[in-house]
Amino acid sequence: MLHAFLISLAILALLSIIFEEITHINKAKTTLFFGCIAWATLFINADGVANQEVVAHKFNENLLEIATLWLFLMSTMTFVAYLNAKGMIQVMVQKIFPQKVSVRLLMIQVGLFSLVLSAFCDNVTATLVSIGLLYTFKLEDSIRLKMAVLIIFSVNSGGVALITGDVTTLMIFLSGHVKMSELIILFIPSSISVILLATIFSYKIEGFVTTSNDKLTYQKVDVLIAFIFFCTIMMTMLFNILFEIPPVLTFLTGLSIMFLVGHVFRSDKEEIKILEYIRQVEYDTLLFFLGILLLVGMLKEIGTLDLLAKAYAMFNPNISNFVAGLGSALIDNVPLTAALLKAEPVLNTSEWLGLTYSVGVGGSLLVIGSAAGIVAMSKVKELTFVSYIRYVPALFLCYCLGYALTLLLANVVF
């Protein structure tokens, strides 16, 4: 009875996201409410002090994961907000993209840019930079919406090919089931599926778009901070691989250097302006993450994810992997992958690569299924749960193609 009630809270939270445009109640508020009620219910129903201590321990673990994500998001968003406001992202766009380009070509360029970027840095950073890039072009709302959806799919697709791009890929790699050389081949199905989606989205769209012609005014210190941001991303990957330093620690270090540079090169009045960029962080996004992760943590606590792992073992691995990818659109792929690894399935290289692709890219099928989708939803006003739904058939087709190509290539190569 208790588990049914808790699962119903998670379903209600999902419905509140779906019908946000009808209820006009912010999804961050509803998910946070249901997440808090779920954990309070667990505490109330804990039988005895010992069980209450167990629940408290699990709750603190969940909060630690959330706090780590919050701090990481805050530091990343602050960098990107500053660079975007100073026009540095637009400078990057002018260096990489032509000033005038057809919409069809731009679709493919944006998709591949997001794909490559997300392979080398985390999905949140890749999404923020890609969305910032999007706003440097003069686009119609409908085209901007399509490109935002493309960015979400591309970011998730690029992240599966390297351990620096996606946490689930790193988890499977550290478990010893795949090698770096084996993961690299995922770039091929990822790239092909992204190009297909870009082609579908640009079908029958004619015309050209141009970058904004606003006069760019920035100082040397802005270039220095952009360099610090780039170095922070590189050091985050390097230190995590060599010394297992948590990415959030490296990013906070980079953020502190950014503030120190601002203190040295600017007056106190100008430095305050830098600090104001922190206020541009979308706290609704952070609260949404908090609510979602509280609910996922609750589902993990009551054993729902363990049941999924048991169901996984009942079918052919290739089918189970495909369905696991669909499941990652509703359930955070990190605890889902952790549950599957805990079940210790016996898979060959092809099947492990299939699982890596599916849990990484499957979250793209719903806008709430990945960090990239949640961040993009907070940055693009046209992007909502309902507006995203209309693109699910195209996303599903590209997901199926990418998964099939993964299995085909893996079977041929390995």
Side-chain angles (χ1 to χ4, degrees):
M1 190 67 181
L2 173 62
H3 288 187
F5 174 72
L6 292 173
I7 293 174
S8 69
L9 290 179
I11 294 173
L12 287 173
L14 176 61
L15 292 175
S16 71
I17 298 169
I18 296 173
F19 296 108
E20 180 187 16
E21 292 181 333
I22 298 175
T23 62
H24 300 293
I25 301 176
N26 190 301
K27 58 184 173 293
K29 298 179 176 64
T30 53
T31 52
L32 180 59
F33 171 75
F34 287 119
C36 291
I37 292 298
W39 276 99
T41 302
L42 283 175
F43 274 100
I44 293 171
N45 285 272
D47 186 18
V49 176
N51 287 335
Q52 288 176 343
E53 290 178 352
V54 171
V55 174
H57 176 69
K58 296 295 184 182
F59 178 69
N60 289 334
E61 282 186 346
N62 199 207
L63 278 185
L64 178 60
E65 294 175 2
I66 295 170
T68 301
L69 177 60
W70 266 43
L71 291 171
F72 186 81
L73 278 172
M74 184 273 294
S75 55
T76 305
M77 285 180 169
T78 302
F79 264 118
V80 175
Y82 176 87
L83 295 175
N84 190 43
K86 290 297 182 179
M88 298 306 297
I89 292 180
Q90 188 173 341
V91 170
M92 179 182 67
V93 170
Q94 291 179 351
K95 297 293 183 181
I96 298 177
F97 294 86
Q99 188 172 5
K100 185 176 181 181
V101 62
S102 69
V103 177
R104 289 184 177 181
L105 181 58
L106 182 63
M107 280 276 191
I108 296 176
Q109 289 178 331
V110 168
L112 293 179
F113 173 82
S114 303
L115 177 88
V116 174
L117 183 63
S118 65
F120 294 96
C121 61
D122 66 280
N123 288 358
V124 173
T125 304
T127 304
L128 287 169
V129 172
S130 298
I131 293 297
L133 177 153
L134 205 58
Y135 278 97
T136 64
F137 290 94
K138 297 178 180 179
L139 301 170
E140 297 177 6
D141 290 348
S142 60
I143 296 177
R144 183 183 295 111
L145 174 60
K146 286 184 176 181
M147 287 196 178
V149 176
L150 175 64
I151 286 172
I152 294 170
F153 185 81
S154 301
V155 165
N156 287 326
S157 297
V160 302
L162 287 177
I163 60 174
T164 52
D166 193 282
V167 176
T168 55
T169 300
L170 179 62
M171 291 168 64
I172 296 173
F173 171 79
L174 292 177
S175 67
H177 297 300
V178 291
K179 300 176 182 178
M180 288 285 289
S181 58
E182 295 167 346
L183 286 171
I184 291 296
I185 73 162
L186 292 179
F187 263 121
I188 298 174
S190 294
S191 300
I192 293 174
S193 60
V194 166
I195 292 173
L196 174 61
L197 185 63
T199 303
I200 293 173
F201 281 176
S202 61
Y203 181 66
K204 289 187 177 181
I205 295 180
E206 304 292 341
F208 292 78
V209 291
T210 58
T211 56
S212 303
N213 293 320
D214 300 334
K215 186 178 180 180
L216 302 177
T217 57
Y218 58 89
Q219 301 174 352
K220 290 183 179 179
V221 65
D222 300 328
V223 178
L224 179 57
I225 289 176
F227 179 72
I228 292 171
F229 183 41
F230 174 78
C231 289
T232 300
I233 294 174
M234 293 298 104
M235 290 301 100
T236 297
M237 295 186 295
L238 185 63
F239 288 163
N240 184 257
I241 293 172
L242 294 179
F243 309 110
E244 296 188 3
I245 296 177
V248 63
L249 180 58
T250 308
F251 245 100
L252 286 174
T253 303
L255 186 66
S256 66
I257 295 173
M258 170 187 170
F259 290 142
L260 289 172
V261 168
H263 178 76
V264 171
F265 287 93
R266 299 181 184 277
S267 65
D268 290 342
K269 185 176 181 180
E270 289 173 325
E271 187 180 356
I272 290 174
K273 291 182 180 180
I274 295 179
L275 293 174
E276 287 177 353
Y277 287 109
I278 294 179
R279 300 189 183 99
Q280 293 188 20
V281 173
E282 293 283 351
Y283 283 98
D284 276 352
T285 303
L286 298 177
L287 291 175
F288 187 34
F289 266 112
L290 175 58
I292 288 290
L293 292 178
L294 282 173
L295 288 166
V296 170
M298 175 272 295
L299 292 174
K300 183 179 179 181
E301 171 64 15
I302 65 176
T304 302
L305 298 183
D306 292 334
L307 292 176
L308 290 176
K310 292 178 181 177
Y312 174 92
M314 296 171 60
F315 301 95
N316 181 287
N318 289 328
I319 297 176
S320 295
N321 289 340
F322 181 83
V323 176
L326 303 182
S328 69
L330 286 171
I331 301 173
D332 185 84
N333 60 0
V334 173
L336 177 61
T337 304
L340 294 178
L341 289 174
K342 185 178 179 181
E344 299 182 348
V346 179
L347 307 178
N348 58 34
T349 300
S350 172
E351 291 161 351
W352 278 115
L353 288 174
L355 178 62
T356 304
Y357 181 88
S358 63
V359 295
V361 181
S364 307
L365 296 177
L366 290 178
V367 73
I368 61 170
S370 65
I374 294 174
V375 170
M377 190 162 47
S378 71
K379 295 296 182 182
V380 181
K381 65 179 181 179
E382 298 88 3
L383 184 62
T384 64
F385 188 94
V386 175
S387 66
Y388 194 89
I389 288 292
R390 75 183 68 166
Y391 302 109
V392 168
L395 291 166
F396 181 71
L397 173 63
C398 294
Y399 167 73
C400 292
L401 174 65
Y403 183 74
L405 289 174
T406 296
L407 296 184
L408 179 62
L409 285 172
N411 284 318
V412 170
V413 177
F414 306 109

